Every structure is written in C-alpha cells, then in structure tokens.
C-alpha cells in the first residue's frame, strides 16, 4: 500500500535549503518547527535533509519522491539572493500547481511584514505528493503552516483520490 492511500500512515519529508546550516555554520531552526507540525497532524516523517542551496535541493526532492511521501515541505531558498533556487528546483517536479496556497501564505505573511511578498515559493502536486516551498525564517514557516492547518487533511484526501468537497 502506498503511503498516500487512505487508511495508511501518511509519510512526509522535509528539505532545508541552507548552505550555512548544511556546512554546520549555524543550526537549522525551521526543520524542528516543521517536524512538530507534521507530527501533530499524524504524519510519519523521514529524517530532515539539510542541504546547500541550489541543485542539492532538487536532488533531495527527487530522492524523497522515490519514497512516495504524502507531503514534502521545503524551507529556505525562496528569496532573491543569487543562490536562492528552491522554486527553480521544485517547479519542474510539479505536475500541477496549487497557486491559491502560496497566495494565501504570501497574503498572511504580508499582513505582518511586507518582505513576505518577496517569497517565490511554489505549492503543487508531484504525482500524489504535495510539495510546498516555505520561507527560511522560523516566523515565515509558522505563518505558512498556519495557512496549511485548515486545508491539509482535505488536500491529502483529494490527492489520494477522494472526491469530497
């Protein structure tokens, strides 16, 4: 049974895009927040992957997709710095985008800081896996997860083939 099928434990992966955290220059602060949220929502999580910005993010995403997770959440690499390439690594993997989720996240974040409008993240479906790019700051991650809270169960059900509205 696939991890995305009803009545099975939904699996989840986390990719942290941070060259400095991957090099051990500082500790990742967003991964634990995401893991707590996933655990609260009943997901079984794979070990967090902390990778440098750029192509390593794409490699981590592709590796996780081979494990059939219900959801993959990335944090970091969504800004405008030259090495912020998480959206570029994510978009080619998506079969369908879900723009309303990112619109909601940017709107919620912009109510607190105008910098939220600069996030270039994507949300969408790669097969039966939902992938979302969250910002690299703890506050940005918490804001994004708060937007996902009321829809994540229904989103997973629909991606698993459910037709409830």
């Amino acid at each position: 049974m696939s991890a995305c099928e009803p009545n099975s434990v939904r699996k989840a992966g986390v990719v942290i895009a941070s060259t400095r955290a991957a090099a051990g220059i500082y500790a990742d602060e967003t991964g634990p927040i995401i893991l707590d949220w996933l655990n609260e929502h009943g997901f079984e999580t794979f070990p967090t992957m902390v990778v440098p910005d750029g192509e390593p993010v794409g490699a981590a995403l592709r590796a996780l997709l081979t494990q059939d997770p219900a959801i993959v959440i990335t944090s970091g690499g969504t800004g405008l710095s030259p090495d912020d390439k998480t959206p570029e690594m994510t978009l080619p993997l998506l079969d369908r985008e879900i723009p309303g989720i990112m619109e909601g996240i940017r709107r919620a974040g912009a109510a607190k800081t105008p910098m939220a409008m600069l996030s270039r993240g994507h949300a969408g479906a790669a097969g039966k896996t939902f992938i979302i790019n969250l910002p690299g700051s703890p506050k940005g991650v918490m804001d994004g997860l708060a937007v996902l809270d009321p829809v994540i169960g229904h989103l997973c059900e629909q991606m698993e083939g459910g037709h409830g509205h």
Side-chain angles (χ1 to χ4, degrees):
M1 178 179 281
S2 164
C4 298
E5 290 178 24
N7 303 322
S8 71
V9 174
R10 290 179 177 139
K11 294 186 165 90
V14 178
V15 177
I16 305 302
S18 171
T19 300
R20 291 178 291 174
I25 295 171
Y26 66 75
D28 160 46
E29 295 180 352
T30 58
I33 295 167
I34 297 167
L35 287 177
D36 285 347
W37 185 86
L38 288 166
N39 290 326
E40 287 170 13
H41 287 80
F43 289 91
E44 179 182 298
T45 56
F46 297 109
T48 299
M49 301 173 79
V50 180
V51 298
D53 288 297
E55 175 50 39
V57 174
L61 289 171
R62 290 187 300 274
L64 275 170
L65 287 173
T66 68
Q67 303 302 306
D68 295 321
I71 182 172
V72 174
I73 300 177
T74 72
S75 173
T78 62
L80 296 169
S81 297
D83 61 348
D84 284 339
K85 300 212 188 301
T86 299
E88 289 78 8
M89 297 297 114
T90 303
L91 189 57
L93 302 175
L94 299 179
D95 302 316
R96 298 183 291 170
E97 287 191 80
I98 310 172
I101 290 176
M102 294 312 299
E103 291 164 8
I105 288 172
R106 283 188 273 270
R107 186 172 43 253
K112 298 177 180 179
T113 174
M115 302 311 158
M117 292 184 286
L118 302 179
S119 180
R120 302 178 308 110
H122 293 289
K128 289 188 175 186
T129 299
F130 171 64
I131 302 177
I132 185 163
N133 303 144
L134 296 179
S137 72
K139 285 183 182 179
V141 165
M142 288 187 276
D143 289 345
L145 295 174
V147 170
L148 282 180
D149 256 336
V151 299
I152 193 63
H154 186 66
L155 184 151
C156 285
E157 288 167 13
Q158 285 205 322
M159 291 193 55
E160 291 162 350
H163 298 288
H165 295 283

